[in-house]
Amino acid sequence: MAYQPKKRKITAEINVVPYIDVMLVLLIIFMVTAPFVSQGVDVDLPKTQTAETVADMNPDSNTPPIIVEVDKDGHLGVSINNAEMAHGLSLDELVARVKAELAANPKTLVMVGGDGRTPYSNIVETLDALSHAGVGSVGLMTDPLDKPGN
């Protein structure tokens, strides 16, 4: 009888260990860089010489202001308690968030910042919606004007 080798079935396997290593490295890179990515609405505030700071406006309050921003395209954003700017909100969502925060902390200042290139109608529309929501006083945000010689 002649020797007949056993027929082996060929199997194709992919070694996934290198792929897992690459994915873990990418995960670490994203986790390290995520805090450095700034999120929010990019607003180029108009400049003025008579700007006051929030501390000057409400010196006896330790509560950070509610910041509402309108970018040059009319997109809305809000930051409550110095949290990251939540952007891409509708006017109704923005008003609901501001009303909820004011219900919890009625002495909180509301500041509206509009990009210098924002159509005035977008700012007025936002101010009107906040007024109808019961916000009694709204501050307008500006950047200080550079003084000559600085």
Side-chain angles (χ1 to χ4, degrees):
M1 214 187 242
Y3 174 72
Q4 292 182 351
K6 292 183 182 176
K7 290 189 177 184
R8 292 186 183 178
K9 203 174 200 180
I10 298 176
T11 59
E13 294 180 4
I14 297 176
N15 187 0
V16 295
V17 173
Y19 298 115
I20 294 172
D21 291 342
V22 169
M23 293 307 293
L24 287 174
V25 168
L26 288 174
L27 178 65
I28 291 170
I29 290 171
F30 288 130
M31 287 173 52
V32 169
T33 59
F36 300 113
V37 176
S38 65
Q39 293 183 351
V41 180
D42 187 23
V43 175
D44 184 20
L45 294 172
K47 299 190 181 311
T48 182
Q49 292 179 348
T50 59
E52 288 185 51
T53 65
V54 174
D56 294 338
M57 293 175 65
N58 197 7
D60 46 324
S61 176
N62 293 332
T63 308
I66 299 170
I67 298 175
V68 176
E69 290 186 349
V70 184
D71 73 359
K72 66 179 179 174
D73 299 320
H75 299 126
L76 300 171
V78 66
S79 174
I80 297 173
N81 290 329
N82 288 333
E84 285 191 31
M85 185 66 61
H87 58 291
L89 301 174
S90 71
L91 196 55
D92 293 333
E93 292 172 326
L94 178 115
V95 168
R97 287 187 183 196
V98 171
K99 280 175 68 173
E101 180 61 24
L102 287 176
N105 300 317
K107 292 187 178 182
T108 304
L109 289 175
V110 178
M111 306 295 292
V112 174
D115 192 291
R117 300 164 290 191
T118 302
Y120 187 62
S121 61
N122 291 348
I123 303 292
V124 171
E125 182 180 295
T126 304
L127 292 172
D128 187 50
L130 290 171
S131 176
H132 285 314
V135 178
S137 176
V138 176
L140 295 175
M141 294 172 43
T142 61
D143 279 336
L145 192 62
D146 292 331
K147 295 192 167 79
N150 286 351

